[in-house]
Amino acid sequence: MTLEAVKLAAEANQWGAIFPELLLACLALALLALEIVLPKRLHAYIPDFALAGLVATLAAHLLNLPSANLGKESFNGLLLHSPGGQVMRAFFLLTAILVCLLARVSLTKQKVPRIEFYHLVLVITGAMMLLVQSNHFVMFFVALETVTIGFYILVSYFRTSSASLEAGLKYLVMGALSSGLLLFGIVLLYGVAGNPTLPGHSASAMHYPELAQFLVANPHHFLASVGIVLVLAGVAFKIGAFPFQIWVPDVYQGAPTPVTAFLAVGSKAAGFAVLLVLARDVFAAYDWLVTPALTAMAAATILFGNIAALTQHNVKRLIGLSGVSHAGFLLLGIVALAGPVASVSATGAIYFYLFAYLIASFAVFGVMAHVAGTDDSDQTLDHYAGLAKENPFLATILTVGLGSLAGIPPLAGFMGKFFIFVAAFEGGARWTLALAAVGVVISIYYYFGWIKAAFFQQWTPPADTTDPRPPRTPVNVVSGIALGCLALASIFLGFYQGPLGQWLTMK
Amino acid sequence: MSQLPFDPLLVSIAAPLALALAIALGLPKRWSVLLAYGAFAIPVLMALHVWWHFTATPLPSHGYAFLTRYDTGLSGLGISLHLGLNGIALPLFVLAALVGLAAGLYAIQSGAERLKIYLMLLLIMQGGLMGVFASVDIFFFYFFHELALIPTFIMVGIWGGRDRSYAAMKLTIYLTLGAMVSLLGLIMLYVQSGAHTFDLIALRAHLAAHPLAATLQNNIAGLLLFGLGVLVSLWPLHTWAPLGYGAAPSSAAMLHAGVLKKFGLYGLIQVALPLLPDGLAHWAHPLAWLAVIGNVLIVGVITIAQRDLKQMIGYSSVMHMGYAFLGIAAGGIIGPGGVVLLMVAHGLSVALLFLLATAIYHRTQTFAMDEMGGLAQKTPVLAAFFVAATLASIGLPGFANFWGELAIFVALWKFSPLITALAVAGVVLSAIYGLRSAARVFFGPSTDALAKVTAAHPPVDLSWKERFPALILLAALLFIGFWPKSLTTPVNAALTARAPAAATK
Amino acid sequence: MANFLFYAFALFTLATAAGVVASKNAVNAAMCLLLSLVGVAGLFVALNAYLLAFLLLLVYAGAIVALFLFIVMLLDMKETESRGFGKLSLAAIILAAGLLVTGLSTFATRGRLPVGDPALTPALGPDIKLYAYQLFTTYLLPVQVMGFLLLIAMLGVIVLSKRWEGSDDVK
Amino acid sequence: MTMLSHAIFVLILPLVSAAIIALFLRRAGGIAAAVSTLTATAIAGISVLLALRNERFTESFEWMRFGDFAISLGFKFDDLAALMLVIVGIVGLCVHVFSLGYMHDDAAKARYFGGLSIFMFSMLGIVFADNLFMMFIFWELVGFSSYVLINHWHEKQSASDASKKAFIANRVGDFGFLLGIVMCYWLNGTVNLTELAAKGEAHTLVFSTLIPLFLFCGAVGKSAQLPLHVWLPDAMEGPTPVSALIHAATMVAAGIYMLCRINVLMVPDALTVIMWTGTATALYAALCAITQSDIKKVLAYSTLSQLGYMVAAFGLGSLSDTHQHDGVPHTIIIAAGVGAAMFHLTTHAFFKALMFLGSGSVIHGCHHEQDIFKMGGLRMRMPLTFWTFTIGVAAIIGFPYLAGFFSKDAILYLAYAKNTPVFALLALTAVLTSLYMVRLWKLTFLGEPRSDHASHAHEGGLTLTLPLVLLAVLSLVAGYTAFYPKVFSGVFDLIPVAHDTDHTIIFITSLGVMIVGASTGYTFWKSTPTDTLADKLPGLFSALSALRASFDGAYDYYVAKIQQRFALFVNFFEQIFLAGLIVRGLAGFVGLFGLGARALHVGNLNAYVYWFLLGIVMLWLFATGVVTL
Amino acid sequence: MTSATLDHYVLISALLFAIGFFGVLLRRNTLVVFMCLELMLVASTLALVAFSRFNGTMDGNVFVFFILTVAAAEVAVGLAIIVALFRKRQTIQLNELNSLKN
């Protein structure tokens, strides 16, 4: 308990290793500061500032991608800087940029505070980046809760809309419940792994490597398995896996569109990045439990997501439920990874799938944000009728996005599914794979139903013309370029994976 | 081998796709149309060039020429854009180019609504099709097929005819089902072979040294047969085809029925036959019975009952696919060889029929054959073309189709005389519906319904703009019909080289 | 004595917790929650975690429950819980209860943990310095993150509650 | 130029002519006619040249190949082919020339002459074919040409129907033909006629009753034997020269030619079937011919009947003589059905073409009136036609020392020697032949004109009459084997010739049946506008009509009531059951699940918590090991 | 009377957790549901402290700090949402807050 010890401990806190997160934190604080300092008329530029900051952070991070810290722990083992973590950091930064771009479209149509939104997005992004790098359950829990609570606020951000608030409440209750489950699981694991009478016990039982060692030493401990199950349940909520997916459509529908996108992409990806680490590394010794549980979950998720989406008319619910099915596909990748015959390409497959999903989803959400009109709640398939005639650009972007989500070559989504399938096959999840194929076929119906609405149908005003279709938001240059880039990226990544593909398939 | 300073295969894939992208990025309409002529013509020029030079130098033992490899970043997975042609791919490559040109020319002259998008989608299809047959890598083979498939959906949906919405959806779901199942089969092959490559040449070399276990072969072959069976409309998985073709706009139907549909058969011949010989043999009898009873006889009879011209053509196409499956079931060299011939021939003839059906529609404003009749008096050239196309499709000698069917029947007898007898009986069915449709549309006295329509729009004979694409197809049919050796030599060489051990049964 | 205290607190905690679930009135529920927290704090004490017991009372009882009560009063709901469950939901509840009991019983029977002599394991709870040491060395990063968590929570409450210019929703 | 290149030239020339007409001369009917006729002239000339040069050869070029399976384009030019070539060449030329006049005013003359050229090409292909696959190819092409030519006046519903029927009936025959070829290929490893013959010599041929029977199916279709004969009478919807060329002299004879080609594959059982089929057809068609009123239909049924004769002749097989030579029995074939059939084919080609062209001349003269009861008295108005037609009639009824007399006697003798019932039936057929031919002749040419058209009839131009004269001459002389140069000895040496008592019996029989038939026919029928038979013996008339109509009726019933209904039923089944119940049902089933899954989102949080409970329970079950995968 | 061992504490905390869960399942008043959620968190802290005591490690105790903070933040945000929602809808009964559904 000497000063030296404190110093030593402090040295372990290598702040430089988390400079992107720090940049985001500073940026977030700077936004608040600017809001106070700047005159009102200049407030409109603060979101641009946030965007610029995010882009700069992403650029800095990309420059530092092969970081010196790679493979090392920092902050006394709270964080582990892995290649996967680096990838996911870039992923979240990209997500944040796109969410901010979406927010520029959506928020301007609403009378709500703006700067706080960007602040929240930045903080959540930072927390997600920490979350996926966490190597310790305390860090994990704290980061996770930061993300979750941030999302509670974001989901109910359009507080003028009761739907947004209701969604917020639902997300809050379900989220808190899942946090409770997760926490209890962590506690059980901590309790068991720290138990001095058990072989392989650890003094720092919440530290992943040590927990993993303990689990290897006690491969069939009941309390540990209960703990694992509860942790899985908590993560399953995040990724929206069956049967913890039930909140998804309601919350997606009520949340502001940028937040829906953030939830659908960011939150889900964070869940998967975490699950990947947990299933592959930490709970490896319990694959007798994790693999079948996740396999069953994957199968049920794919089927339920696709089937439930089949008859949806509200596009936000639709995209939510389709997102559920995507979670199923990703789970398939995790299964391939966690199974007894670990697939070598599964990790890369999952990351690629996430990126493909990110690109495609934001393309679709971008179109949704433009089509929705002033009231963010007008989001049914009928609103897309005649889109191809009125705005071919948006219709094209929508087609590319949905095509990629549906997994149609030559779009990136197909490559994602293909990698996952190969991995799943290598991992031995044959029957789930067959179900996944069925799922893809079912999904065609609603994805193409959406395209159909945009391309083949004409807008017919309802009999009582009191409810005219809201006007579509014109596409401005920035969002136009962004959407175009997303669509092109979807196409490009489908054709040519280049160094990215080499990197992903290298393992 | 090829003296060109560029890779003719890549160019023929890239040219249409590049123009499609340019159109998507906002190329003006005038330029789009002008360049489209080039984009559709380039693959034909390349294909002819390749055909011409194919036998110029002796082929390496794997039988592929014009090999080039492009790394798209997946070499770690054993996937790369490996282009090349063997004797089996060559005819289909030429077919794709020719039908593409005909479909493109027909589309340009059709003056369709939103012509730019129409051309763009058609170009994507064309690029994909060239890719399908130029790919040595199974993954890209599949990939290009899907690339070509997507535009079909949109084209049916936007420019389609009756029931287009339902047809588009049904088409897409069916084809996705087929594609997914066959993808699973291919992945199974990829993983289980242990070669960890999708490269057909490498895979073949690997499997020659380490053949797959029998059960495994059966499973993979089963998956491929089911998946590709859906794509090629194997009975009873065929119901999408007549509906889809009935609704599809002419150029899309031409390219899809003419070329894209051949993907499944091509896959069976190029991938399944050499890699999974025992697996295919395991399924040969069920496949043959399904094809002969279902595709040939049942669908043949159904075709007789059709009243809608396009649906009739669609059903007849389904029926002819039955022969192709029979050829594959028969195996050996003659069967698959016949299938390759039939694929090319059917591709040309069905494309021609769809083209002419649309031309007829423009003159009668209907596809209902009962409301036509006696059209030949007004449009003798159109009638001549249609009769020629019909006779080609029902396997009259002198047209390419005959050779394919003949070789298949010959091969089939060795496989099962009973099935052969049933299959040959289908020839009579096809004569019945073929001639009946020609007679109902063109011959006999004019019907009142037609008189009414022609009073409003005096029918003109086939214009040169319509005639030219039709001529391309008809000329190709006749060329192969009279000189089948031009095609069978490379096909035979490829098939013989592939199965030196297998008895030439 | 220690045992008696344990059982007393444990029973008290569970009983009051059940009270939270069972009470018809939100105010009663809040009061039960408060009492339950006191019971947990007692158990903390039994586990030598005096600081945490203190904190629990301070944070939970002092702040959170107070907040709850405040809100309950603020919202001034006319009616308490609308009573009566349908047959279906009653069946579901019974099923759920059954499942929970089954789960708990397996937990109780199979979840036994061997323990060494508690006397031999050092009771670290009372040592306040240890908390500080841990929080400012090992767990420094989570503490910082926690700061941001509180910041966004605060911002969130502001966003959700403050009357904004131009917004017409707040009555 | 070698003989081979001549043969190739002959084969290719009409194709080139057809191609030129199709591509360039569509609107220039006159030039097209000239091109086609010149082609026919060249063919006839070179054919005769080829035949007379007494050089026989075989040559083949590979056409396509898969593994060991190869199809070649080959020439087998033996005496049989030479004879057939000459027949096709001469009749073809006559018909071309006749068409120049007959089709002079037709609007689609180019299509007509193009069709003729295509037909010549196809027919020559059959003649030259050295293997069965090639023969099949041209076999089908002949069917196609026939389709095009029958359908020449396509605006007529009847022509359209007839062409369709002809093609489909031929296809039915080809179904068997193709199976036979394929079977032969696998059994014997080759379908090359020369190789098959060599194998037959070497006694290594694998026989099967099925092969000849399957192959015979092709002949049944093409030569219009029972029960596939239905198309031939209908085919008279085509222009009359076409009927003369295709449906009397050449195409329908191709079946006989083909049978002669594959003689080596025959087995006794198959021959029996062939024989009876031919006999039945001969008798049946003769019966049908009696009640016809359309001049071309009478000739059509007569053709059927004569084709039956030829088939029967082939089916009767060979007459052999066994010698004891050095104690070893040697069997020498002294005469064969092949010879008889080909002989009759040759003579029939000439006189039947003559009569068809004559009828064409009549029809042309009578402004396209075809009903013999509306003719009469044409003897005076169209004397040349009358005399040439009379020669034709005399030839077909077996008037002594005309062409038909010899060939029919050869067949009767063969039947007499081999099979008495067949002999009796064929003799009866001969009676009937005389009967209906004389009836036709009398009603058309004698008596008084019974219509305006007939009374204003006139002889056509030179192009119409010249071919008649040529064919008439041939009908007069073609029966004398001595007339033929030695070059056809391969065929004509096999003609059965009766000697001694047999000769007398056959001669008397032949003469007797001719006289009985002709005199009955001449005395019974009166030159009235109605059928005398219908007036006097209505029962017999309607019985004969019913006999004729029965097949057509059955055919129509089959097409309209069975085939069409069956097709509609299967279609309905597919639409309702497969596309409807199964596919849509499955989609609906999934959709139902979709609605169900959608309905689970009730919006109530409490309900959602149950899902979490469900999830925990599920995972718990995995953890406790209750459930494993 | 046996002495209270780890098992007892863990069981008590599990029971508390289950009661909380049951409350969430059962109650329709959002505020009470929220209180039950807090009960679940508290149950976790109880187990945590017990484990920390019997394992002789400090991590559990420290973790409780974080949990309490999180709980406080969660409650603050949650109550803000509830209040905002009440203003809009004049109810906080869960069975009436179901405008978002299929």
Side-chain angles (χ1 to χ4, degrees), chain A residues 9 76 119 153 159 195 197 223, chain C residues 111 114 137 152 155 160 162 164:
Chain A
N76 307 298
H119 175 87
I153 303 162
R159 55 142 188 198
N195 194 309
T197 57
L223 276 185
Chain C
T137 57
I152 60 169
L155 270 178
L160 290 170
K162 191 182 156 191
W164 297 95

Side-chain angles (χ1 to χ4, degrees), chain D residues 125-184:
Chain D
I126 293 183
V127 172
F128 283 125
D130 80 330
N131 65 76
L132 290 177
F133 279 119
M134 176 173 165
M135 187 177 272
F136 179 78
I137 288 166
F138 286 98
W139 193 262
E140 288 256 299
L141 283 178
V142 163
F144 159 70
S145 333
S146 165
Y147 170 76
V148 169
L149 289 168
I150 295 172
N151 199 18
H152 181 72
W153 290 311
H154 57 69
E155 62 278 4
K156 276 164 63 186
Q157 188 62 47
S158 52
S160 166
D161 289 347
S163 62
K164 201 169 73 188
K165 198 171 175 179
F167 195 96
I168 291 170
N170 269 302
R171 268 264 157 138
V172 174
D174 294 352
F175 157 79
F177 191 23
L178 182 58
L179 283 180
I181 297 173
V182 172
M183 189 173 175
C184 178

Side-chain angles (χ1 to χ4, degrees), chain D residues 279-525:
Chain D
T279 311
T281 309
L283 182 62
Y284 168 80
L287 287 172
C288 291
I290 296 172
T291 56
Q292 291 301 314
S293 60
D294 183 318
I295 182 168
K296 286 179 71 182
K297 286 271 170 82
V298 178
L299 291 176
Y301 278 106
S302 145
T303 306
L304 276 178
S305 179
Q306 299 305 309
L307 287 168
Y309 248 83
M310 296 175 216
V311 170
F314 180 84
L316 284 164
S318 53
L319 286 176
S320 53
D321 199 3
T322 309
H323 291 282
Q324 288 294 126
H325 188 74
D326 299 336
V328 184
H330 273 269
T331 304
I332 298 168
I333 295 173
I334 54 170
V338 176
M342 280 308 293
F343 189 28
H344 195 58
L345 187 155
T346 313
T347 57
H348 176 259
F350 295 138
F351 61 67
K352 189 49 72 57
L354 167 64
M355 282 194 285
F356 261 115
L357 291 186
S359 76
S361 180
V362 166
I363 293 166
H364 187 258
C366 294
H367 299 94
H368 295 274
E369 178 55 65
Q370 301 193 179
D371 189 342
I372 50 175
F373 292 102
K374 293 184 178 161
M375 295 178 183
L378 297 178
R379 182 168 63 96
M380 310 307 291
R381 289 166 187 81
M382 307 178 73
L384 192 85
T385 306
F386 168 69
W387 286 112
T388 50
F389 200 92
T390 307
I391 292 173
V393 170
I396 195 173
I397 65 177
F399 197 82
Y401 308 110
L402 288 184
F405 172 74
F406 295 105
S407 55
K408 200 180 271 181
D409 275 8
I411 294 174
L412 284 175
Y413 167 60
L414 196 61
Y416 173 73
K418 299 276 292 191
N419 193 318
T420 316
V422 170
F423 173 72
L425 288 173
L426 289 182
L428 175 60
T429 307
V431 174
L432 295 173
T433 307
S434 307
L435 185 78
Y436 66 74
M437 283 317 297
V438 169
R439 164 183 178 264
L440 171 71
W441 176 73
K442 183 181 178 189
L443 286 172
T444 307
F445 290 102
L446 305 183
E448 292 302 313
R450 290 182 294 273
S451 71
D452 278 356
H453 286 320
S455 49
H456 294 109
H458 55 88
E459 199 71 80
L462 200 60
T463 50
L464 292 185
T465 49
L466 209 58
L468 291 179
V469 173
L470 178 62
L471 287 170
V473 171
L474 284 170
S475 301
L476 286 172
V477 300
Y480 300 92
T481 42
F483 165 74
Y484 298 96
K486 272 290 157 211
V487 292
F488 303 123
S489 57
V491 180
F492 284 102
D493 287 354
L494 291 172
I495 297 169
V497 182
H499 297 286
D500 310 328
T501 48
D502 287 353
H503 180 258
T504 321
I505 291 170
I506 295 300
F507 184 80
I508 291 171
T509 314
S510 167
L511 207 61
V513 296
M514 194 266 298
I515 291 169
V516 170
S519 53
T520 315
Y522 189 81
T523 50
F524 184 75
W525 270 278

